[in-house]
Amino acid sequence: MFGGYTVSLCFQYFNTWMHVFGLNPKALVITANTSIVALLLIAAYILWGLKQGNGRHLYGSAVSMVWFLVGIAIELQNPTQPIYNQFSDGQIMSTQIMAGLASTLLSSLMAVRMIKTIIKKNMWNCMGACQGNDSVDGEEDITTDYVHA
């Protein structure tokens, strides 16, 4: 989980560093939106490309990146006065929309990955029923007795 937040903070510090160089606001917005897209791509790779040694996926890193992107989108709904002074309303809105879309897309990717993992694990648990066994684990405990109170 801390790995995803660390990657997010690296992008934030990079954008702050670009601001210190005195880039114009348009270049800063392009850098910020590019950082959001790069963060989305890194998170997608972490979700779909990397696994821990035991075969588990790194959902915590993706959750922290979603949290970071949601924080950007929420913060830009009511930005501080220095942000208003430096950037136009259109620039603020474009970055807010970009962060909102990235967090929504990343949340959807994470949900699909979790569903795929759950289906894959249940598929192996149900293989006995598919191979001709009549019962699946725990099915013999099911009764049709009624409880009378």
Side-chain angles (χ1 to χ4, degrees):
M1 192 158 194
F2 292 113
Y5 197 67
T6 302
V7 170
S8 301
L9 284 176
C10 286
F11 280 105
Q12 179 183 357
Y13 293 148
F14 174 74
N15 286 309
T16 305
W17 188 52
M18 289 288 131
H19 180 72
V20 170
F21 283 136
L23 294 177
N24 64 358
K26 189 174 183 178
L28 289 173
V29 169
I30 291 170
T31 305
N33 290 338
T34 304
S35 296
I36 289 172
V37 170
L39 189 64
L40 175 66
L41 293 174
I42 289 170
Y45 177 72
I46 287 172
L47 272 177
W48 290 90
L50 292 180
K51 288 184 181 178
Q52 290 178 344
N54 56 3
R56 302 180 96 187
H57 296 282
L58 304 169
Y59 294 112
S61 296
V63 167
S64 63
M65 290 180 187
V66 168
W67 183 257
F68 188 82
L69 291 169
V70 166
I72 292 171
I74 290 173
E75 181 180 342
L76 290 178
Q77 283 181 346
N78 190 15
T80 60
Q81 192 61 41
I83 292 175
Y84 267 130
N85 292 341
Q86 186 168 11
F87 300 101
S88 70
D89 289 339
Q91 291 171 333
I92 294 170
M93 183 65 78
S94 70
T95 304
Q96 180 187 9
I97 289 171
M98 184 70 78
L101 286 175
S103 64
T104 302
L105 184 61
L106 186 54
S107 298
S108 300
L109 284 172
M110 192 167 46
V112 168
R113 183 69 205 175
M114 292 170 83
I115 290 169
K116 182 179 182 248
T117 301
I118 290 169
I119 289 172
K120 186 176 179 181
K121 288 186 185 236
N122 284 335
M123 175 78 116
W124 295 115
N125 290 339
C126 296
M127 286 305 284
C130 294
Q131 293 176 353
N133 296 343
D134 290 336
S135 65
V136 182
D137 294 337
E139 193 173 283
E140 53 275 341
D141 296 337
I142 298 173
T143 62
T144 57
D145 295 338
Y146 292 100
V147 177
H148 297 288

